[in-house]
């Protein structure tokens, strides 16, 4: 039997599977479009690599068949993840809730350890090789690159998604899968910034507020998330926005109306805040109305809120504000409405939702149900995770169970 295995892509899922398969005795060759491994890993967690999460559940993953990731996540649970990486010499720490990072807070610690382990086990890397055409004959796969034929009995597609092409991503994984009759679930950007054409929002560029964000689709409330909202010259970004971006992106694709309501004082109850403003009115009656919110919210937000409340210009001093005005001000502080027109697209997305339809993939082995000895791992499949280390965990988990299922 031919013991060669060719893997296309040296990202997270390709590297973990190469290590496991080479340890088992396979002769593994990885083809990588870039000049080095794991460029996307290096960009993760702002360069710190949020490598996994201690709190893993099926709810953190999305797929058209939502039970598809169950087996991989239960087999490669947090304990297995921790043991695997600790045995490679990677020291992990917990940070920011249940998120997990390398102790160095350097993503390069992760790529260096994986690359060196792969090299130590005899994995061959062919860098600067963009693979598009695969031949399959006599039960063997053939990759032809720079006048050389690379034959293998097993082919693994670990090309990732088309998010952030500048890091090496491409649609080629989908194209190769289509060659073997696999269907593609239409990809859409996830964990991505949102674009608004509301001009007053653009003027808040640079303001970052801890907020609670409600998402409305066709005027129906769909999701609520808390965290940072960063106002930008195109719309909004920040953790809370990335968290709801998947739903926004999907709804925009289906031509639905997408609107956000941002509460920038989430920790203070509406009635309590009205009382606070009433007290300030008593204390500061002769100050100009903008002073009402001075030192309570970011300075850029004060004229923005008064603009939205539409206080008549005749009212110049705090004493002129009625109780109704105060209620209205609090309403707008707790409900900054933002119309969303678009996302910042694949070029800026951390992850792509959609991909190779998992209906035709065995979820215990990641093997194609349509093509003998063809396997997939990582983001190229129609599985994506939430923010918090879940996407890398999916790459590790799918690569791990796949590689362990392939027998010599
Ligand atoms: C900015 C950013 C930040 C992120 N932060 C986090 C985070 O903190 N935590 C988290 O869990 N996830 C994060 N993610 C998502 C995570 O990086 C991916 O989900 C994960 O890397 C996917 O692993 P993969 O192996 O499927 O693909 P990738 O890691 O993308 O690897 C695919 C590899 O295949 C190569 N390739 C593609 N096509 C070909 C071809 N035809 N021939 C040869 N080579 C090819 C690519 O160059 C690439 O090296 C982030 C993503 C981005 C973009």
């Amino acid at each position: 039997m031919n013991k060669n295995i060719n893997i296309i892509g040296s990202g997270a899922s390709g590297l973990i599977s190469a290590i496991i398969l080479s340890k088992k005795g396979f002769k593994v060759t990885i083809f990588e479009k870039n000049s080095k491994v794991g460029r996307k890993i290096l960009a993760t967690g702002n360069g710190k690599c949020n490598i996994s999460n201690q709190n893993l559940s099926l709810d953190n993953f999305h797929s058209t068949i939502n039970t598809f990731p169950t087996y991989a996540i239960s087999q490669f649970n947090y304990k297995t993840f921790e043991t695997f990486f600790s045995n490679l010499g990677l020291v992990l720490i917990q940070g920011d809730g249940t998120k997990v990072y390398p102790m160095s807070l350097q993503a390069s610690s992760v790529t260096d350890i994986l690359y060196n382990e792969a090299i130590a086990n005899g994995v061959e890397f062919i860098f600067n090789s963009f693979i598009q055409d695969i031949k399959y004959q006599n039960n063997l796969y053939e990759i032809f690159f720079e006048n050389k034929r690379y034959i293998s009995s097993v082919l693994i597609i670990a090309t990732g998604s088309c998010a952030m092409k500048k890091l090496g991503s491409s649609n080629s994984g989908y194209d190769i899968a289509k060659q073997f009759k696999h269907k593609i679930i239409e990809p859409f950007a996830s964990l991505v910034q949102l674009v608004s054409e509301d001009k007053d929002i653009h003027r808040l560029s640079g303001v970052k507020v801890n907020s609670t964000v409600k998402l409305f689709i066709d005027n129906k409330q769909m999701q609520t998330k808390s965290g940072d909202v960063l106002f930008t010259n195109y719309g909004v970004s920040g953790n809370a926005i990335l968290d709801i971006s998947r739903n926004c992106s999907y709804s925009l694709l289906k031509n639905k109306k997408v609107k956000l309501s941002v509460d920038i004082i989430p920790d203070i109850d509406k009635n309590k805040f009205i009382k606070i403003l009433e007290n300030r009115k008593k204390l500061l009656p002769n100050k100009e109305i903008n002073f009402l919110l001075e030192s309570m919210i970011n300075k850029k937000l004060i004229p923005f809120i008064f603009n939205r409340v539409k206080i008549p210009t005749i009212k110049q001093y705090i004493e002129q504000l009625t109780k109704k005005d105060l209620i209205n001000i609090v309403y707008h502080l707790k409900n900054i409405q933002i119309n969303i027109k678009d996302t910042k697209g694949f070029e800026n997305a951390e992850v792509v939702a959609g991909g190779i339809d998992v209906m035709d993939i065995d979820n215990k082995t990641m093997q194609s149900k349509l093509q003998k000895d063809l396997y997939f791992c990582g983001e190229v499949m129609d599985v994506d995770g939430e923010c918090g280390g879940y996407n890398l965990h999916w790459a590790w988990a799918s690569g791990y169970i796949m590689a362990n299922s392939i027998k010599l």
Side-chain angles (χ1 to χ4, degrees), residues 9 11-13 32-33 44-45 50 129-131 170 172 350 379 389 392:
S13 63
E32 171 53 55
K33 186 173 176 255
T44 58
N50 176 197
S129 57
F130 181 46
I131 307 304
S170 70
S172 56
E350 288 191 8
E379 208 185 306
L392 277 175

Side-chain angles (χ1 to χ4, degrees), residues 216-222 255-259:
F216 292 84
I217 307 289
D218 284 345
N219 296 320
K220 203 168 143 217
Q221 191 184 324
M222 296 296 290
N255 292 320
K256 301 204 176 192
K257 200 170 140 201
V258 177
K259 202 160 80 181

Side-chain angles (χ1 to χ4, degrees), residues 3 5 69 111 205 225 304 366 381:
K3 288 183 186 169
I5 293 190
T111 50
S205 182
K225 285 281 175 187
F304 166 87
M366 303 296 146
M381 290 182 279

Side-chain angles (χ1 to χ4, degrees), residues 337-407:
Q337 295 200 6
I338 308 173
N339 296 300
I340 300 300
K341 280 278 163 288
D342 205 349
T343 72
K344 287 292 273 178
F346 293 126
E347 286 310 311
N348 297 284
E350 288 191 8
V351 182
V352 164
I356 301 172
D357 191 347
V358 294
M359 170 97 98
D360 299 319
I361 300 172
D362 178 345
N363 79 335
K364 292 197 170 63
T365 60
M366 303 296 146
Q367 185 173 11
S368 167
K369 291 180 187 172
L370 308 177
Q371 170 69 31
K372 191 171 171 284
D373 296 325
L374 177 67
Y375 291 79
F376 304 97
C377 53
E379 208 185 306
V380 72
M381 290 182 279
D382 170 30
V383 177
D384 59 285
E386 308 210 319
C387 223
Y390 297 106
N391 285 292
L392 277 175
H393 194 92
W394 171 247
W396 312 130
S398 54
Y400 179 90
I401 63 149
M402 178 204 68
N404 278 308
S405 77
I406 300 175
K407 302 278 179 279

